[in-house]
Amino acid sequence: MRPTRDVAVVAFGQTDHRRTSDELSEVEMLMPVLHEVLDRTGLKTSDIDFTCSGSTDYLAGRAFSFTMALDGVGAWPPISESHVEMDGAWALYEAWTKLLTGDADTALVYAYGKSSPGSVRDVLTRQLDPYYVAPLWPDSVALAALQARALIDAGDTDEPALAAVASRSRTSAAANPHAQLRGSVDQGDYVVRPLRTGDCPPVGDGAAAVILAAGERARELCERPAWIRGIDHRIEAHSLGVRDLTDSPSTRLAAERAGAFERPVDTAELHAPFTSQEVVLRKSLRLADDVDVNPSGGALAANPVMVAGLVRVGEAAARIHRGTSDRALAHATSGPCLQQNLVAVLEGDPR
Amino acid sequence: MSKEPVAVVGVGQTKHVAARRDVSIAGLVREAARRALEDAELTWSDVDAVVIGKAPDFFEGVMMPELYLADALGAVGKPMLRVHTAGSVGGSTALVATNLVAGRVHGTVLTLAYEKQSESNAMWGLSLPIPFQQPLLAGAGGFFAPHVRAYMRRTGAPDTVGSLVAYKDRRNALKNPYAHLHEHDITLEKVQASPMLWDPIRYSETCPSSDGACAMILTDRAGAARSPRPPAWLHGGAMRSEPTLFAGKDCVSPRAGKDCAADVYRQAGIADPRRDIDAVEMYVPFSWYEPMWLENLGFADEGEGWKLTESGVTELDGDLPVNMSGGVLSTNPIGASGMIRFAEAALQVRGQAGEHQVEGARRVLGHAYGGGSQFFSMWLVGSEPPSS
């Protein structure tokens, strides 16, 4: 579908993602990032027409955890605001649709997540079917390992190829000051066969924020706006037994609807927390070999839960802002084994 | 560039009860969604996207349940968004779905909100301790009771007004087959004799804990033209948020609520809400919130809301009926309660509200709030398409 209005990412900020941030509350972790994107555009909270955030109560360990972040935003006088209990990439999607209606010209989008207080592998099991699957506590690494095994059995990849994905990602991350794992990382022992430590994302805390603006407003706020040419997301069945884990039809459909296949992209920021998931996504997105995949290091270098998807959109946009990309694809995922996927296509003005 | 007009062409609810032990969470939401589709005479394949909302995940103990519910709601292969804005979530969810149609992203959207409180314990779900933050004081009643007391002191309202609201809403609920509480032997004396829970809030002036779901089908102008029953048209919708606690906050009449209503009235061309709006479904979890919100929403001057209630204006046969369905006081599946207000407003202007129908209701307001009276979502629907 053709958007009814031109909307762009005009600013992006993120924390340095870290294994623990004991000394900071979620709000304290988020605040510098909010100020960073506001400062970059010169906007004040009261200039923002719509605000939307992504987070989950299950990481905070309490109900309504997002209300505290709102206090930090400074919602006075009252603001037009919403929240998705999803990765911030979906908060960005909600903000994008709000801008399409014409009711808002600017939007602030933010996401935060602290995985360090608990065991995120165990916490994520609470996402599963509560009657039949969750009581068995199959953790996120075990489920990803099922997917990796299916890929190897299908001949789509092998363990050395997965190790190469890990190595390439973390080598790229060496140039990313925000990344948690940077440079050479040992592939390590098996966590759950066939996945080794190196195939898995780091567990960490982080936050990110983005400012969106429509039309001329975007050009006022940013020298080279990252125009959202299309954005779409799709969900698949929940039960792993009815899905082909070697494929991601939802990613393919979202990409098609976002216009990703109309012209080649030069950059792809993929939200693939496990090396094996990059294999699936590359195939679904038909990425050519010359596409720069995860120049930031991707989720293998930093995977703050609920934030990593928004960071992909932000990293893709930032490359357009800097002039190192003209047409970039950003991807976010949610749920076990890539159940739900979002694809955005971003472009800079021709130079 | 103008927005696409948005119409409600299908509404579905479950019969709300204390515990639906006969269905899973998936079974519960599917029941409401199917009823909304049947009302619109559409099938799952006519739905382009699903927007789902509920209050905290801790209430059922399922993290991000939209993942598990994708199959039950026919969302496989479609976009599915999950909204969470505390108690206002049912209304916010409908408004997010509205934007998908208004922004011409999708033609027909299923929106749904639910709570299956019997799966867990909402009181404990709200009471998880966290350092350096104010606990909710043993459930929502403890948080809101001082604000009710402040309202009474500020306005001089006699302490009988709350019981009038509860008595009215519980009688209205008897006319609504989906309402949770059907107290056939209700009397004003019984309400007034019920135990004091959080002074000045009595037991019968509080909402129940319900299992239930509510769904709506939203569509564009072309979809509305195919609707077998009269559509409800969106004339205005807005959300507003303000901080939970700060020195300048007016907990009795929060500014976010006033601003939200003003935005909706501006969009809908409402000059005088008392005159131009025919009925209201407002979020009243404790009876005293009816007079409080009457003022906050501009139906009465400051200090005068309780007089409207006391004079019978808000009765089902009054001049400005409030909570014709029985309201949150009679039915409270928390995450769905806001959407039920929005959906009941739509039923009224479609002339589909059955025994609790207000004759000639043309413009009706649906209202929801959440958190510490800090999140507001409202919409105004009409029997005629918007003129602009």
Side-chain angles (χ1 to χ4, degrees):
Chain A
M1 131 271 149
R2 285 274 152 229
T4 53
R5 206 172 179 213
D6 290 330
V7 174
V9 176
V10 296
F12 166 59
Q14 61 182 319
T15 54
D16 291 345
H17 307 294
R18 293 189 286 161
R19 178 62 186 86
T20 59
S21 56
D22 287 344
E23 74 285 9
L24 296 175
S25 71
E26 289 175 326
V27 185
E28 288 167 328
M29 190 172 69
L30 173 67
M31 288 308 291
V33 171
L34 288 183
H35 286 296
E36 186 184 337
V37 292
L38 290 168
D39 289 348
R40 194 163 292 167
T41 53
L43 294 171
K44 299 187 294 293
T45 307
S46 54
D47 299 325
I48 300 285
D49 296 331
F50 182 66
T51 301
C52 196
S53 60
S55 68
T56 172
D57 284 346
Y58 261 78
L59 289 182
R62 62 154 297 181
F64 301 142
S65 61
F66 59 92
T67 63
M68 298 304 153
L70 185 68
D71 288 7
V73 170
W76 190 260
I79 59 172
S80 175
E81 186 264 350
S82 182
H83 171 259
V84 295
E85 190 85 353
M86 305 178 82
D87 185 287
W90 278 268
L92 183 140
Y93 178 85
E94 184 185 326
W96 175 73
T97 63
K98 178 81 175 178
L99 265 59
L100 289 189
T101 67
D103 286 342
D105 291 332
T106 53
L108 170 66
V109 178
Y110 62 88
Y112 56 89
K114 286 181 65 155
S115 297
S116 62
S119 162
V120 73
R121 281 173 73 174
D122 291 332
V123 169
L124 289 174
T125 66
R126 303 300 90 192
Q127 287 186 333
L128 303 169
D129 179 319
Y131 306 102
Y132 296 109
V133 185
L136 303 173
W137 294 84
D139 75 37
S140 47
V141 181
L143 295 176
L146 277 177
Q147 186 168 31
R149 173 52 63 198
L151 285 162
I152 291 171
D153 289 351
D156 285 358
T157 192
D158 54 28
E159 291 189 38
L162 296 181
V165 170
S167 170
R168 194 207 74 242
S169 298
R170 280 142 188 168
T171 303
S172 299
N176 177 0
H178 303 288
Q180 187 177 331
L181 287 185
R182 305 167 62 196
S184 175
V185 173
D186 189 6
Q187 194 58 5
D189 296 330
Y190 288 114
V191 184
V192 181
R193 279 178 192 271
L195 296 179
R196 294 172 180 273
T197 323
D199 293 306
C200 302
V203 174
D205 303 350
V210 158
I211 289 180
L212 299 181
E216 277 311 304
R217 197 83 182 93
R219 289 202 170 82
E220 290 164 22
L221 296 171
C222 180
E223 205 168 310
R224 191 167 193 253
W227 299 105
I228 300 174
R229 293 301 180 210
I231 180 169
D232 194 84
H233 59 97
R234 301 280 154 168
I235 197 165
E236 295 180 32
H238 184 62
S239 171
L240 300 182
V242 300
R243 283 159 57 188
D244 174 0
L245 296 181
T246 68
D247 195 12
S248 182
S250 58
T251 300
R252 189 179 300 112
L253 184 55
E256 191 183 313
R257 300 283 300 191
F261 300 136
E262 289 168 15
R263 284 193 299 124
V265 296
D266 55 46
T267 302
E269 278 286 342
L270 306 181
H271 185 191
F274 297 93
T275 52
S276 43
Q277 294 180 340
E278 184 178 306
V279 175
V280 178
L281 293 171
R282 275 178 179 269
K283 184 167 79 171
S284 305
L285 292 166
R286 301 177 211 152
L287 294 179
D289 289 341
D290 61 350
V291 176
D292 199 346
V293 174
N294 287 340
S296 68
L300 285 164
N303 188 42
V305 176
M306 312 311 283
V307 184
L310 182 63
V311 170
R312 303 282 75 75
V313 182
E315 288 281 4
R319 277 174 75 83
I320 289 170
H321 296 162
R322 291 194 299 266
T324 44
S325 169
D326 292 319
R327 181 172 158 91
L329 180 149
H331 160 268
T333 195
S334 177
C337 301
L338 303 172
Q339 188 194 345
Q340 187 175 22
N341 295 282
L342 176 146
V343 174
V345 177
L346 306 169
E347 281 183 358
D349 287 324
R351 288 174 292 180
Chain B
M1 185 199 68
S2 65
K3 287 191 281 186
E4 178 70 22
V6 183
V8 184
V9 294
V11 173
Q13 287 180 62
T14 57
K15 164 73 176 100
H16 307 286
V17 295
R20 277 294 300 271
R21 301 213 189 281
D22 60 320
V23 287
S24 61
I25 299 171
L28 183 79
V29 297
R30 192 171 169 89
E31 198 173 291
R34 285 184 62 118
R35 283 180 184 156
L37 285 170
E38 281 165 17
D39 184 18
E41 295 186 16
L42 295 175
T43 65
W44 295 104
S45 60
D46 295 312
V47 173
D48 298 321
V50 178
V51 183
I52 184 171
K54 64 173 259 67
D57 294 4
F58 283 110
F59 282 5
E60 286 89 0
V62 188
M63 178 187 185
M64 300 164 73
E66 71 279 3
L67 297 164
Y68 143 69
L69 292 172
D71 306 62
L73 290 173
V76 172
K78 296 175 186 175
M80 187 172 193
L81 262 179
R82 158 69 195 292
V83 181
H84 178 12
T85 64
S88 68
V89 65
S92 307
T93 304
L95 291 176
V96 173
T98 295
N99 285 344
L100 294 177
V101 177
R104 299 192 173 86
V105 180
H106 296 295
T108 300
V109 177
L110 166 66
T111 186
L112 181 139
Y114 75 95
E115 206 73 67
K116 198 163 188 297
Q117 290 188 225
S118 66
E119 299 271 330
S120 182
N121 185 314
M123 179 92 152
W124 290 114
L126 281 175
S127 305
L128 298 167
I130 195 133
F132 312 120
Q133 281 171 12
Q134 169 156 319
L136 266 173
L137 307 170
F143 184 84
F144 291 118
H147 306 154
V148 170
R149 181 59 76 187
Y151 174 78
M152 295 167 75
R153 290 214 172 110
R154 191 188 286 189
T155 65
D159 59 10
T160 49
V161 173
S163 53
L164 294 175
V165 176
Y167 178 50
K168 165 182 72 81
D169 285 3
R170 296 277 162 80
R171 276 180 293 132
N172 288 352
L174 293 172
K175 298 178 186 297
N176 174 6
Y178 295 108
H180 175 176
L181 295 184
H182 282 156
E183 297 180 335
H184 293 280
D185 54 352
I186 187 80
T187 65
L188 184 58
E189 291 68 32
K190 280 188 180 172
V191 174
Q192 287 166 342
S194 66
M196 190 65 84
L197 287 189
W198 301 277
D199 189 7
I201 300 172
R202 293 183 180 278
Y203 177 78
S204 291
E205 298 174 66
T206 67
C207 49
S209 284
S210 314
D211 283 0
C214 178
M216 287 189 284
I217 307 292
L218 306 179
T219 192
D220 55 14
R221 200 194 311 251
R226 293 190 293 268
S227 173
R229 276 173 275 282
W233 293 94
L234 184 77
H235 288 237
M239 293 186 234
R240 284 294 184 281
S241 310
E242 68 181 43
T244 323
L245 296 166
F246 72 108
K249 185 178 172 88
D250 184 347
C251 289
V252 172
S253 188
R255 179 166 163 191
K258 291 181 183 175
D259 289 1
C260 190
D263 192 358
V264 170
Y265 300 157
R266 179 189 55 78
Q267 294 172 39
I270 299 287
D272 177 356
R274 176 79 173 84
R275 186 193 65 209
D276 299 340
I277 294 173
D278 299 319
V280 188
E281 279 280 332
M282 66 170 72
Y283 204 104
V284 178
F286 303 101
S287 61
W288 278 92
Y289 272 87
E290 177 179 300
M292 290 165 73
W293 293 146
L294 281 170
E295 295 172 28
N296 189 248
L297 295 171
F299 292 101
D301 289 338
E302 212 160 294
E304 305 286 314
W306 64 270
K307 294 176 186 167
L308 285 192
T309 296
E310 195 178 47
S311 63
V313 164
T314 59
E315 295 272 348
L316 188 54
D317 58 359
D319 186 44
L320 180 72
V322 174
N323 289 335
M324 301 71 76
S325 68
V328 181
L329 273 179
S330 307
T331 305
N332 189 33
I334 297 177
S337 290
M339 189 173 286
I340 297 170
R341 308 279 72 70
F342 280 39
E344 285 286 348
L347 285 178
Q348 288 287 340
V349 299
R350 297 171 75 206
Q352 305 278 316
E355 275 192 69
H356 61 287
Q357 177 71 45
V358 173
E359 281 310 313
R362 289 171 49 249
R363 281 182 290 198
V364 177
L365 183 71
H367 161 272
Y369 86 107
S373 299
Q374 66 185 126
F375 301 112
F376 292 84
S377 58
M378 304 174 201
W379 82 2
L380 192 130
V381 285
S383 52
E384 299 294 325
S387 50
S388 57

